[in-house]
C-alpha cells in the first residue's frame, strides 16, 4: 500500500511540474506579445563573477574571499596554453563551508582547491537565458544558496553568480540593497548607509 501511495504521489508531483511548466511558457508568450520583456538570470546576476582556478591553493582562495568579503566562488579549469587560452570552464564551486570543512579535516592549505570543492555534478548551474521564475524555483524551492550562471550548458563558461539576495532585490523585496546597475554590484561602501539603517530597523521586522 505504501509503495503504491508513494508512486501515486510521484505521478501527481510530476504532473504538477508539467502543468507549471506549461503555464510559465504561456505567461512568457503573453509577456512577449505585449512587449514586456521576460526577465532572465542575466538580468539580476552579479557580474563579472570572480572565479578561482582548480589549481589555486586553498590558502589563496581563502585570502581572495576574505579580501573581497564574499562567501563563494566558482572554480574553473586552469589555462592549458601559454597565451592564457583553453581554460575557464566551470568544474565546481567552493564556499566558506568547504574551506571550514577542509580545515577541520586537517587538509593542507597549500593543496589545490579542487581537493575540497563541490564538483559540478553536485552543483546547480543555470544558463544566462533561463527565465527568472524558473531560477527562483531552484533557489527558493530547493534551498540553493549559490547558483553559478554560465553562457550556455554546452560551453560551461561562467558569466555570473546568483544568490537569494540578488533575486529578492530584483523583485523589490530587498530595496535597501538595490543595484544601480543590474550587471555590476555596488561597492559595499556605497551601501553602508542603507545597511546601517536596515540593521536599526530589523528589530521592527
Amino acid at each position: 500500500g505504501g509503495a503504491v501511495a508513494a508512486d501515486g504521489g510521484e505521478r501527481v508531483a510530476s504532473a504538477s511540474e508539467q502543468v507549471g511548466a506549461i503555464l510559465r511558457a504561456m505567461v512568457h508568450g503573453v509577456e512577449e506579445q505585449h512587449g514586456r520583456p521576460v526577465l532572465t538570470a542575466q538580468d539580476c546576476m552579479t557580474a563579472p563573477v570572480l572565479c578561482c582556478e582548480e589549481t589555486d591553493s586553498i590558502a589563496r582562495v581563502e585570502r581572495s574571499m576574505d579580501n573581497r568579503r564574499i562567501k563563494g566562488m566558482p572554480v574553473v579549469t586552469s589555462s592549458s596554453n601559454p597565451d592564457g587560452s583553453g581554460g575557464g570552464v566551470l568544474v565546481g564551486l567552493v564556499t566558506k563551508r568547504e574551506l571550514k570543512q577542509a580545515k577541520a579535516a586537517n587538509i593542507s592549505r597549500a593543496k589545490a582547491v579542487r581537493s575540497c570543492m563541490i564538483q559540478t555534478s553536485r552543483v546547480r548551474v543555470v544558463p544566462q537565458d533561463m527565465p527568472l521564475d524558473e531560477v527562483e524555483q531552484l533557489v527558493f524551492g530547493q534551498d540553493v544558496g549559490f547558483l553559478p550562471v554560465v553562457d550556455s550548458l554546452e560551453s560551461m563558461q561562467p558569466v555570473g553568480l546568483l544568490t537569494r539576495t540578488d533575486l529578492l532585490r530584483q523583485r523589490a523585496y530587498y530595496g535597501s540593497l538595490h543595484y544601480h546597475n543590474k550587471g555590476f554590484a555596488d561597492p559595499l561602501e556605497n551601501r553602508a548607509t542603507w545597511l546601517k539603517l536596515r540593521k536599526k530597523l530589523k528589530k521592527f521586522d
Side-chain angles (χ1 to χ4, degrees), residues 113-132:
V113 73
R114 62 186 168 206
S115 64
C116 67
M117 71 179 187
I118 309 172
Q119 297 183 352
T120 48
S121 58
R122 295 168 48 214
V123 176
R124 287 285 187 178
V125 179
V126 300
Q128 60 184 347
D129 59 354
M130 175 178 278
L132 199 57

Side-chain angles (χ1 to χ4, degrees), residues 23 50 60 105 123 127 180:
L23 289 175
L50 180 66
R60 180 176 181 179
V123 176
H180 298 304

Side-chain angles (χ1 to χ4, degrees), residues 170-203:
Q170 183 65 35
R171 294 302 192 188
Y173 299 144
Y174 214 144
S176 63
L177 292 181
H178 181 68
Y179 287 169
H180 298 304
N181 184 317
K182 291 181 181 179
F184 297 85
D186 288 344
L188 282 175
E189 55 267 25
N190 291 354
R191 291 184 267 149
T193 302
W194 286 110
L195 289 170
K196 288 179 182 178
L197 178 60
R198 181 157 185 81
K199 189 175 292 185
K200 290 180 181 178
L201 294 176
K202 196 168 183 61
K203 62 182 178 182

